[in-house]
Amino acid sequence: MSIEELINGLKDLPPAPRVLPRLLKVLGDENASSEDVVSLIDLDPALTARIIRQSNSAYYGGFDAVSDLDEAVNRLGFREIYRMACLICARSFVGGAVPTYKMESEERWFNSVATGLVMETLSRDLGFCEPSTAYTVGLLHDIGKLAIHQVFGDRYDVVFDKLEKEGKSLYRAEMEVLGFDHAQVGAALLEKWGFPEDIVIPIRFQYSPSAAPSQRETTGMLHVSHWIAGGIGGKPGKDSWAFELDTSVFAMLHMDEERAMQVMLQSRDQLKEKEEMLSM
């Protein structure tokens, strides 16, 4: 089975978050206005309602209640509204349990948010890509696991056998058994949904950053973020130990393991401060 056949055969995947790639494009436009943001989000009434409700939550407390989307955007700003929209949309496809990978719902969601926060921190620190792009890459990095679960759930134990008996990393075991890994599947799915290259490529090459044809630094950031998020406690299922860290990525990013440990501690503190965000 090819990746294209797998994706075309999916039946129970949540609907594509069409608003997110469009919002990312608006964020990258220095001439964009709050009206541009509002007009896009208004295309999804359910998302609009959730954003207004979340804008009035305790996490954004200290203000009078907002009653419409324009007010929420003007008060919180483009980027915070994007972050909120990203969390709300992503919850439907990275917030659920994935039994094939032995991942509970909250465990998977914590790992996704943790990876997004680490990516955002590294982006601000290293300057290789926009923080909003980095955050999105981290949040969506393992979306391919849901697709593989739906198609190969009853045959996936062979992959875990390779992990446990042969000491393979997860992506290498998937390549040998399935012919592709969950990173490639996730990238193909996001590409089909209209996400740009600076999101798709890092996710596709997250386990082999040096092979990325472009976006290499962002890909390297995701590779390191995956490792850091695991250290925070965001263990991504039964395969959490089977991550093969490419230490040469540190040189690519002009950072060292000491800085990575500092980011780990910083991101752990951010997660504690943002506990309510995890419930979005």
Side-chain angles (χ1 to χ4, degrees), residues 138-204:
L139 192 65
L140 302 180
H141 77 281
D142 81 343
I143 190 173
K145 289 182 177 180
L146 180 59
I148 286 181
H149 162 66
Q150 289 192 16
V151 177
F152 293 101
D154 57 345
R155 291 168 281 170
Y156 198 82
D157 283 345
V158 180
V159 175
F160 281 133
D161 284 345
K162 284 191 172 290
L163 262 67
E164 295 165 358
K165 296 176 182 177
E166 301 178 27
K168 303 279 186 181
S169 61
L170 179 66
Y171 91 93
R172 292 187 190 279
E174 286 184 335
M175 288 293 294
E176 291 185 16
V177 174
L178 307 177
F180 44 75
D181 62 33
H182 64 271
Q184 293 172 322
V185 172
L189 188 58
L190 292 170
E191 192 171 41
K192 181 177 180 179
W193 283 350
F195 280 83
E197 276 193 351
D198 53 0
I199 303 289
V200 171
I201 289 177
I203 289 175
R204 177 174 286 133

Side-chain angles (χ1 to χ4, degrees), residues 102-252:
K102 309 297 189 289
M103 296 176 73
E104 300 294 334
S105 176
E106 290 309 309
E107 177 184 54
R108 183 169 180 242
W109 183 233
F110 182 93
N111 176 260
S112 297
V113 176
T115 306
L117 286 175
V118 174
M119 281 290 289
E120 187 175 48
T121 299
L122 288 177
S123 172
R124 295 187 191 282
D125 194 23
L126 303 174
F128 290 123
C129 68
E130 283 293 313
S132 297
T133 297
Y135 183 76
T136 306
V137 169
L139 192 65
L140 302 180
H141 77 281
D142 81 343
I143 190 173
K145 289 182 177 180
L146 180 59
I148 286 181
H149 162 66
Q150 289 192 16
V151 177
F152 293 101
D154 57 345
R155 291 168 281 170
Y156 198 82
D157 283 345
V158 180
V159 175
F160 281 133
D161 284 345
K162 284 191 172 290
L163 262 67
E164 295 165 358
K165 296 176 182 177
E166 301 178 27
K168 303 279 186 181
S169 61
L170 179 66
Y171 91 93
R172 292 187 190 279
E174 286 184 335
M175 288 293 294
E176 291 185 16
V177 174
L178 307 177
F180 44 75
D181 62 33
H182 64 271
Q184 293 172 322
V185 172
L189 188 58
L190 292 170
E191 192 171 41
K192 181 177 180 179
W193 283 350
F195 280 83
E197 276 193 351
D198 53 0
I199 303 289
V200 171
I201 289 177
I203 289 175
R204 177 174 286 133
F205 292 93
Q206 61 184 283
Y207 296 109
S208 51
S210 60
S214 63
Q215 319 296 330
R216 192 165 292 182
E217 289 85 3
T218 307
T219 308
M221 284 168 48
L222 179 56
H223 186 78
V224 171
S225 296
H226 196 301
W227 177 67
I228 291 175
I232 292 172
K235 301 295 186 182
K238 184 179 177 181
D239 59 280
S240 59
W241 58 270
F243 179 72
E244 187 178 308
L245 178 66
D246 180 357
T247 55
S248 70
V249 171
F250 291 119
M252 178 198 302

Side-chain angles (χ1 to χ4, degrees), residues 40-54:
L40 277 176
I41 297 176
D42 269 341
L43 296 174
D44 188 332
L47 177 60
T48 298
R50 287 286 305 276
I51 286 177
I52 293 171
R53 184 164 69 248
Q54 194 63 42

Side-chain angles (χ1 to χ4, degrees), residues 50-119:
R50 287 286 305 276
I51 286 177
I52 293 171
R53 184 164 69 248
Q54 194 63 42
S55 297
N56 291 318
S57 70
Y59 182 71
Y60 296 102
F63 301 105
D64 293 332
V66 302
S67 57
D68 58 46
L69 193 56
D70 295 84
E71 191 176 353
V73 172
N74 287 324
R75 177 179 292 175
L76 300 178
F78 290 8
R79 296 190 183 281
E80 190 58 33
I81 289 295
Y82 173 76
R83 178 201 289 269
M84 194 189 299
C86 202
L87 281 168
I88 291 169
C89 291
R91 184 84 201 206
S92 66
F93 45 80
V94 296
V98 186
T100 295
Y101 288 84
K102 309 297 189 289
M103 296 176 73
E104 300 294 334
S105 176
E106 290 309 309
E107 177 184 54
R108 183 169 180 242
W109 183 233
F110 182 93
N111 176 260
S112 297
V113 176
T115 306
L117 286 175
V118 174
M119 281 290 289

